[in-house]
Amino acid sequence: MSKRNREIGIHEAYQLDAQKADLELFGREYEESSRRGFLKKSSLMAMAAVVGSNIPFASNMPNGLIPAALANSEKPFAIPGKDGLVYLNDRPVNAETPPHLLNDEFTPAKHFFIRNNGIPPKMETIDAENWTLEIAGESCENPTTFTVKELKKKFKHYTYALQLECGGNGRSEYNPPAKGNQWTTGAIACGRWTGVRLKDVLQACGVKDDAVYIGYYGADTHLSGDPKKVVISRGAPISKALQEESLLAWAYEGEDIPYYNGYPLRLVMAGWPASVSGKWLKKIVIRNQVHDGPKMTGQSYRVPCNPVAPGTKVPNEDMCIIESMPVKSLITYPKSGVTHSIDKKFSFNGKAWAGELEVTNMEVSIDFGATWKKVKKLNKPLNRLAWQTWEASVKFPKTGYYEVWARATDSTGKKQPTILPGWNPRGYLNNACHRIAVQVV
């Protein structure tokens, strides 16, 4: 088939040029002054036909957004120990979790997303109790190697609920598109991790006064098969490593850590990009400089230090390392696309998190963000760096197609943006509001 005649799907069309897709599919034109999509009568009818109903607040709908009724994928992903994940890549394996499978208070292991950079060690080669962890580096006074059995015996155990989110979660919405796995909303999970505090182990080995950073190394192998190539070796400032909640973990939700999530030992430093929480952990180095392992330098897990126009080529020296993730939320119940009776209030709920901060307010909208209503309940986190559950209800004014949006505010007063935040070359930190489709009849 010639390129000219090739058919493309709605997601690809919006990814290539969202405004063009809006115009060609629905006849919706971009309105510069309001950033809304201007709908003529014919285009309104076209969109209503696609979503299956009239759209009471259509004039508020931002330009360049695929209607949520069309934005969900049902493609299943099958891998031992996992259930319901959406497949993104097989080399390395990457898969995300649909929002409605994140409705448990804590994410079950089977629903924990997979984000790999290389090939995990073979399961049959792993001896969990005798797995070793080396602590070294130029700012380590007494380099030491521990087995997992020794870590369990020598140090006090701690359990914390901790949220881990991939820095590229939401990348699929950026335009121009960024390379990499096209995550939508599902590279996030929160569960109870058990292990020993990283700070206890580091301090037992001696941390020199000039220590500024730590870095990690895992047992996964490079996609090239070259055993000398390090897949990924990221890290964090020593202040983050010494936090109460930074763990060397061997258990998740009371069981061994799932194989694809780092079994038998994982570094867990919640609130930052999950890439700093090294899997299949073998070594930690205490550094007297910012760690310079693979995917710590260049443009990996960095964003422009100052805002840039979409498509800008940003020099490496103008890119800054991502630290705490931004405030964000999801509607996890019900699943998008539900039909609801006009006679009843619509009750729904979800999760919210804010990197190293706390979520202090949650609001919802049924008119594409024109007005917002505070949720009826926002629960405190189980502990610092855990996500928070919330509940809300709304009454719809008349029948039709609605989108229910959710917006969180963190403890510094920062709110989620209603549409895509600042573009960046690698498509990180998209914390735009989540939305679900509701047909009111």
Side-chain angles (χ1 to χ4, degrees):
M1 182 181 292
S2 69
K3 186 175 180 180
R4 176 178 294 181
N5 294 329
R6 186 173 72 91
E7 293 183 358
I8 62 174
I10 187 169
H11 291 270
E12 185 176 355
Y14 270 85
Q15 193 172 77
L16 291 171
D17 189 331
Q19 291 178 13
K20 182 181 178 185
D22 254 359
L23 183 62
E24 292 185 348
L25 289 172
F26 302 116
R28 185 165 59 157
E29 296 182 16
Y30 181 58
E31 194 173 64
E32 183 68 37
S33 59
S34 65
R35 300 183 72 187
R36 301 286 183 185
F38 178 70
L39 281 163
K40 294 179 290 190
K41 183 178 179 181
S42 59
S43 53
L44 178 59
M45 291 174 65
M47 187 175 285
V50 170
V51 302
S53 179
N54 65 305
I55 309 172
F57 296 112
S59 60
N60 296 334
M61 191 174 184
N63 177 263
L65 281 180
I66 305 174
L70 309 177
N72 301 302
S73 172
E74 296 288 344
K75 191 174 182 179
F77 181 73
I79 192 169
K82 297 294 180 181
D83 181 38
L85 271 61
V86 177
Y87 164 93
L88 297 178
N89 198 352
D90 64 349
R91 190 173 171 81
V93 173
N94 286 289
E96 67 175 332
T97 314
H100 67 280
L101 295 184
L102 294 170
N103 196 48
D104 296 274
E105 184 176 2
F106 299 109
T107 310
K110 64 182 179 181
H111 293 156
F112 197 118
F113 72 96
I114 300 172
R115 196 314 183 215
N116 288 345
N117 289 272
I119 308 299
K122 291 183 178 178
M123 185 67 179
E124 58 268 26
T125 67
I126 297 174
D127 178 353
E129 291 294 292
N130 293 308
W131 182 272
T132 58
L133 172 67
E134 179 186 1
I135 308 295
E138 63 269 19
S139 293
C140 177
E141 291 180 341
N142 301 298
T144 308
T145 297
F146 302 92
T147 64
V148 170
K149 187 188 301 182
E150 288 171 332
L151 289 174
K152 290 179 178 178
K153 184 177 180 181
K154 292 183 177 180
F155 300 96
K156 184 179 177 180
H157 299 187
Y158 292 84
T159 297
Y160 292 111
L162 300 168
Q163 38 92 2
L164 292 184
E165 181 180 17
C166 175
N169 197 20
R171 176 179 290 138
S172 64
E173 291 190 26
Y174 281 105
N175 189 32
K179 292 182 180 178
N181 295 292
Q182 296 301 302
W183 302 98
T184 61
T185 59
I188 172 70
C190 181
R192 289 159 291 193
W193 298 87
T194 298
V196 295
R197 295 188 305 196
L198 176 59
K199 71 175 183 179
D200 293 342
V201 178
L202 295 183
Q203 288 168 348
C205 297
V207 179
K208 293 182 181 178
D209 290 342
D210 65 351
V212 296
Y213 234 81
I214 62 108
Y216 72 77
Y217 294 88
D220 44 344
T221 54
H222 197 272
L223 294 176
S224 66
D226 185 344
K228 296 180 181 177
K229 282 190 173 181
V230 176
V231 177
I232 181 172
S233 176
R234 302 202 66 234
I238 193 71
S239 57
K240 176 66 176 172
L242 298 180
Q243 283 185 357
E244 171 77 18
E245 302 83 4
S246 293
L247 296 181
L248 299 169
W250 55 77
Y252 177 80
E253 286 295 294
E255 304 285 345
D256 289 340
I257 295 173
Y259 169 64
Y260 273 102
N261 299 114
Y263 172 80
L265 188 68
R266 179 170 189 166
L267 177 62
V268 182
M269 294 204 283
W272 287 40
S275 55
V276 303
S277 297
K279 295 181 285 186
W280 310 289
L281 189 65
K282 292 298 291 182
K283 182 177 182 179
I284 288 179
V285 287
I286 308 173
R287 306 297 312 274
N288 62 6
Q289 64 180 58
V290 175
H291 187 54
D292 52 0
K295 297 191 182 296
M296 272 301 295
T297 59
Q299 306 218 343
S300 295
Y301 299 99
R302 294 175 181 238
V303 293
C305 301
N306 297 303
V308 299
T312 301
K313 290 185 178 179
V314 186
N316 289 348
E317 59 268 27
D318 293 337
M319 300 285 281
C320 290
I321 299 172
I322 300 170
E323 296 189 340
S324 178
M325 294 292 286
V327 62
K328 201 165 181 177
S329 63
L330 282 177
I331 301 168
T332 56
Y333 178 83
K335 184 179 178 181
S336 184
V338 68
T339 298
H340 184 76
S341 170
I342 186 67
D343 299 326
K344 300 178 181 177
K345 273 192 169 183
F346 179 67
S347 296
F348 55 107
N349 55 263
K351 308 292 188 300
W353 60 98
E356 287 235 335
L357 302 174
E358 187 172 322
V359 175
T360 55
N361 192 32
M362 273 298 307
E363 301 163 289
V364 295
S365 173
I366 61 170
D367 54 10
F368 301 107
T371 61
W372 293 89
K373 174 187 175 184
K374 191 171 183 175
V375 302
K376 65 181 180 182
K377 189 173 186 180
L378 171 64
N379 293 310
K380 299 288 287 185
L382 180 65
N383 52 255
R384 202 177 84 85
L385 308 184
W387 68 11
Q388 297 165 242
T389 58
W390 56 267
E391 301 170 21
S393 62
V394 295
K395 188 81 171 68
F396 295 104
K398 54 184 176 180
T399 59
Y401 171 83
Y402 291 83
E403 293 199 356
V404 176
W405 291 13
R407 180 172 72 178
T409 302
D410 71 23
S411 48
T412 68
K414 287 186 178 177
K415 298 177 185 291
Q416 284 184 260
T418 53
I419 55 174
L420 199 65
W423 183 91
N424 61 87
R426 293 295 177 91
Y428 296 125
L429 307 183
N430 179 5
N431 65 332
C433 291
H434 185 225
R435 58 204 176 103
I436 63 169
V438 181
Q439 297 278 5
V440 178
V441 296

